[in-house]
Amino acid sequence: MNTDRQLCIGFSLSATWMKGHSWRAPDSGVEKLESIDYYIHLAKLAEKAKLDFLFRADYLYVSPQMLGDSANFGSPDPTVMFAAIACATERIGLVTTVSTTFNPPYVAARQLQSLHWLSNGRAGWNIVTSIEGAENFGNSPMPSPQVRYAKAKEFTHVMQKLWASFPHEAILVDRESGKFSDPDQVASIDHSGEFFRVKGPLTLPAHKSGAIPLFQAGASDIGRDFASSVADAIFAAMPDLESGIELRSDLRRRAEQHGRHPSTMKVLPGLYFFLADTREEAQALFELANAHFSIARRHAALKSVMGLDLSGFELNDRVTAAMLPDPNQPVRSRTHADLLRRYIANYEPTVAEVLARPEVLGSAHWVSVGTVEDVLNDIIQRFDAGAIDGFIALPGGSEQSMALFFEKLVPQLVERGLFRSEYTGSTLREHLGI
Ligand SMILES: Cc1cc2nc3c(=O)[nH]c(=O)nc-3n(C[C@H](O)[C@H](O)[C@H](O)COP(=O)(O)O)c2cc1C
């Protein structure tokens, strides 16, 4: 067993445990999602378990799946949510999501630095290039992945320059001389690039705890290249062990090519877990979470992920590499499409197996269903195999499943020396060891 490394654990505040028909259970507690008090309660549970950070994904459009039979009180701005949570917590990191495709970097740099300031050094930024939502930001269609990543690169560069434009050291507070700040240390950035023109400096000084850690999600070839050049952590879609080993070793190789030490970058897949006292109960939770996925809905999801229409086939027909559509056709996310292509090419699964894959039913996350011991072994297996540096917990099934995570699973990881029992720092940088 691995003894010299420790897991890094984040906790997602998106209500994944209410998916499918799970919210309809009489004791689901779904009404609580309407109030920030509930999220603050969960944040405190995660902090009590000494987790590294809280996390929230974000999308800038209302998808049809958000309405109708799925539990949803809308999607508040995660940075605003974390501002409220910051004031009710002390140590846990707060990783918000901000799209580089739709926001002006000056506004984003200011919001992130503000969160960093009011949480006392606990902010993190999950950089996303987004899949949809262009219609809410003008008449232009969604830019190509190449353009989105080129923009993300420049956006991130501008953010970093803005954060450095007003260094913490510029604040002097020297009563004797009457100098509150040193204007010579505050400088404009005069950025003029392909996408942005920004003069600077930023309206507030950098927090004394240091730079805001960067996360990134999106793992196509250009996505990996961008992530490995800049990210401290990667939120990864990792449906199986093989794809995880490949992804982490490739990202580490690319980081070295960018002149970075690979251990400075953590690969953190989403872990969508369904925990119960018995395997049968856990499986029942899993089925409830997917009960809304009729066969017709699964075929439609498959078509939207990779442009493959299998609706004319029997469920036990085999799917082969020859049936895959042109790899160069535009897809919503190359990451999800490539994962599924590789799975089909390697295993020639049945139609039913393809329709049950995490890439089709969700966001291609690692699904683990069973008792605390089962999920624990799953985590240890991936950690020892070098597929992960930790994970972002996406609780599935029920509040009880989440309670088992906090009350049993995390303590087991601590007992095995794989996770901290106390915080040693109070900033996100310190938790991540950077
Ligand atoms: C695990 C994962 C999580 C993502 N989370 C978000 C998100 O919260 N908001 C968003 O707008 N896009 C999100 N994306 C989309 C990516 O930022 C990116 O736009 C998309 O995956 C296309 O890039 P790719 O071709 O590299 O996959 C996510 C993608 C992945 C793989």
Side-chain angles (χ1 to χ4, degrees):
M1 186 188 292
N2 201 318
T3 49
D4 53 351
R5 284 197 301 146
Q6 291 261 302
L7 287 159
C8 170
I9 307 181
F11 186 83
S12 165
L13 281 182
S14 303
T16 39
W17 58 98
M18 298 290 176
K19 279 192 173 203
H21 289 180
S22 311
W23 68 271
R24 297 173 64 187
D27 59 349
S28 72
V30 68
E31 290 78 9
K32 291 185 282 190
L33 289 178
E34 199 175 6
S35 158
I36 186 70
D37 296 345
Y38 183 52
Y39 293 98
I40 289 175
H41 164 72
L42 297 179
K44 286 182 172 174
L45 288 180
E47 188 169 63
K48 196 167 159 227
K50 320 294 179 210
L51 301 194
D52 291 78
F53 60 90
L54 299 163
F55 179 89
R56 197 161 151 117
D58 191 42
Y59 296 90
L60 290 162
Y61 70 106
V62 174
S63 73
Q65 292 86 35
M66 281 171 71
L67 303 171
D69 58 3
S70 75
N72 216 297
F73 286 103
S75 179
D77 184 315
T79 313
V80 177
M81 266 182 89
F82 280 132
I85 291 170
C87 299
T89 52
E90 286 173 6
R91 309 282 281 271
I92 194 159
L94 310 166
V95 180
T96 186
T97 297
V98 178
S99 169
T100 54
T101 300
F102 302 127
N103 292 289
Y106 196 91
V107 174
R110 185 168 181 248
Q111 285 181 339
L112 260 297
Q113 194 58 252
S114 302
L115 182 64
H116 209 36
W117 166 71
L118 61 88
S119 65
N120 232 336
R122 293 186 283 138
W125 171 30
N126 179 36
I127 306 170
V128 295
T129 56
S130 297
I131 295 171
E132 284 185 71
E135 64 281 8
N136 293 324
F137 298 89
N139 293 323
S140 312
M142 196 69 179
S144 69
Q146 286 74 13
V147 171
R148 266 150 51 208
Y149 275 112
K151 200 172 175 188
K153 211 167 163 185
E154 189 181 327
F155 190 112
T156 306
H157 187 51
V158 174
M159 294 280 275
Q160 289 173 319
K161 286 203 285 185
L162 282 170
W163 288 334
S165 70
F166 194 157
H168 183 74
E169 296 70 30
I171 302 292
L172 304 174
V173 200
D174 187 340
R175 285 184 169 78
E176 212 154 288
S177 67
K179 269 206 147 192
F180 189 88
S181 55
D182 178 2
D184 292 343
Q185 291 193 52
V186 184
S188 50
I189 64 167
D190 296 315
H191 175 87
S192 178
E194 191 184 347
F195 301 97
F196 305 108
R197 285 172 70 90
V198 183
K199 186 162 188 310
L202 198 61
T203 57
L204 78 165
H207 189 263
K208 60 176 184 265
S209 64
I212 294 173
L214 304 183
F215 286 53
Q216 196 270 356
S220 59
D221 190 48
I222 26 174
R224 290 178 185 203
D225 203 53
F226 171 55
S228 57
S229 73
V230 73
D232 299 298
I234 287 139
F235 179 37
M238 193 185 284
D240 46 53
L241 181 65
E242 291 95 319
S243 66
I245 294 171
E246 187 277 324
L247 176 66
R248 184 164 172 271
S249 73
D250 183 59
L251 283 167
R252 288 168 71 85
R253 185 184 54 78
R254 288 175 194 245
E256 264 183 312
Q257 281 173 355
H258 286 294
R260 304 177 64 200
H261 196 285
S263 62
T264 57
M265 189 185 58
K266 296 191 186 302
V267 178
L268 308 175
L271 166 57
Y272 188 25
F273 63 80
F274 292 80
L275 283 168
D277 291 333
T278 65
R279 285 182 185 166
E280 293 70 33
E281 287 171 272
Q283 186 61 31
L285 287 180
F286 175 69
E287 274 156 29
L288 204 60
N290 291 303
H292 60 306
F293 269 118
S294 61
I295 294 292
R297 212 155 158 175
R298 288 171 193 235
H299 277 299
L302 174 65
K303 226 168 143 184
S304 124
V305 169
M306 65 181 305
L308 179 61
D309 185 356
L310 295 178
S311 56
F313 292 84
E314 297 294 326
L315 285 176
N316 55 4
D317 284 347
R318 293 261 157 212
V319 189
T320 64
M323 293 158 74
L324 291 172
D326 174 5
N328 297 315
Q329 67 169 337
V331 289
R332 293 169 78 236
S333 157
R334 180 73 41 223
T335 303
H336 298 101
D338 287 351
L339 281 164
L340 202 49
R341 293 183 77 87
R342 245 176 290 152
Y343 168 74
I344 291 172
N346 289 344
Y347 295 102
E348 296 205 348
T350 63
V351 172
E353 283 166 338
V354 171
L355 295 180
R357 285 291 293 178
E359 294 91 332
V360 176
L361 297 182
S363 305
H365 287 304
W366 161 22
V367 179
S368 190
V369 184
T371 62
V372 168
E373 211 188 329
D374 292 333
V375 178
L376 183 74
N377 288 338
D378 216 2
I379 295 169
I380 293 171
Q381 185 198 27
R382 289 206 188 197
F383 193 45
D384 284 347
I388 63 171
D389 294 292
F391 57 87
I392 299 185
L394 312 171
S398 65
E399 281 195 318
Q400 291 80 355
S401 164
M402 183 167 29
L404 284 171
F405 174 76
F406 284 126
E407 291 163 18
K408 300 257 169 73
L409 199 142
V410 176
Q412 288 273 342
L413 291 170
V414 174
E415 206 167 283
R416 284 167 164 72
L418 294 171
F419 192 61
R420 69 170 72 83
S421 56
E422 286 301 333
Y423 285 118
T424 52
S426 55
T427 67
L428 180 57
R429 290 188 74 79
E430 287 169 324
H431 302 335
L432 297 176
I434 50 176

